[in-house]
Amino acid sequence: MQKMKTKYLVYAAVAIALAMVTSRIKLFSLPMGGEVTLLSMLFVVLVGYWYGPGPGFAAGAAYGLLQFVIEPYFFTIPQVIVDYPLAFGALGLSGFFHNSPNGLAKGYLVAVIGRGVFAFLSGWIFFGAYAADYGMSAQMYSLAYNGSYLAAEAVITLIVIHLPPVKKAVEYVKRMAV
């Protein structure tokens, strides 16, 4: 049991570190804001895929808190909670697919949708005032802003994880991790 716990912590720490590094690599920025990074959510999703939802949620929340420390953007404590530990913690939803056929792709998609729900709520509740600049309702603004960068990164990542060498590498690492 202790060996597995240590192995989980090491793999999760490496995944979070890779997520932090790749989150700093911006592929492009979108017109309304938001940036598409180099597969940064994938590394956090992998923790859930390897170990299940509990460790996935913990890794996601830890990653969210690190994102807050590195690049804090906040107005209120509730906004910080929704934007960081809850939104990134939702990436742990991938863990529900850790033993499923094609589980990484399914888990990644569900995880990004989960993160998107929290991002949408935050945009609507806390940042809805910016909607007037674009002539939109707060809900449409939040959906357009958050949906654009999340969908773009999701499409890119789903393409990458379906490449045969990447699939093979991910499965190899999963066997080593568990």
Side-chain angles (χ1 to χ4, degrees):
M1 186 64 160
Q2 183 64 27
K3 183 178 177 183
M4 185 60 189
K5 188 175 182 182
T6 301
K7 192 179 232 188
Y8 153 69
L9 288 173
V10 170
Y11 274 84
V14 169
I16 292 169
L18 287 168
M20 289 302 297
V21 168
T22 56
S23 76
R24 308 307 296 164
I25 302 170
K26 313 295 188 210
L27 298 179
F28 54 90
S29 297
L30 295 164
M32 287 181 66
E35 298 171 325
V36 176
T37 64
L38 182 63
L39 313 175
S40 64
M41 291 185 289
L42 173 62
F43 295 103
V44 178
V45 165
L46 284 172
V47 176
Y49 177 63
W50 293 331
Y51 298 109
F57 290 131
Y63 174 66
L65 292 172
L66 282 172
Q67 283 289 341
F68 177 70
V69 168
I70 299 295
E71 201 172 345
Y73 190 82
F74 67 96
F75 294 108
T76 65
I77 298 299
Q79 174 259 319
V80 169
I81 292 168
V82 172
D83 273 345
Y84 295 97
L86 291 179
F88 288 104
L91 295 176
L93 290 168
S94 64
F96 289 110
F97 300 90
H98 74 284
N99 288 325
S100 171
N102 206 19
L104 179 56
K106 292 177 196 174
Y108 182 82
L109 190 58
V110 169
V112 171
I113 290 169
R115 179 175 172 211
V117 167
F118 286 105
F120 168 77
L121 289 173
S122 175
W124 175 25
I125 296 166
F126 303 111
F127 299 99
Y130 295 110
D133 295 344
Y134 295 93
M136 298 181 183
S137 68
Q139 296 91 338
M140 283 308 298
Y141 169 76
S142 182
L143 186 62
Y145 176 89
N146 293 298
S148 63
Y149 73 86
L150 287 171
E153 187 163 334
V155 167
I156 293 166
T157 303
L158 286 168
I159 290 168
V160 168
I161 65 175
H162 279 92
L163 296 173
V166 174
K167 260 185 153 171
K168 186 177 178 181
V170 166
E171 289 309 314
Y172 176 76
V173 174
K174 182 177 182 178
R175 283 192 306 276
M176 288 178 25
V178 295

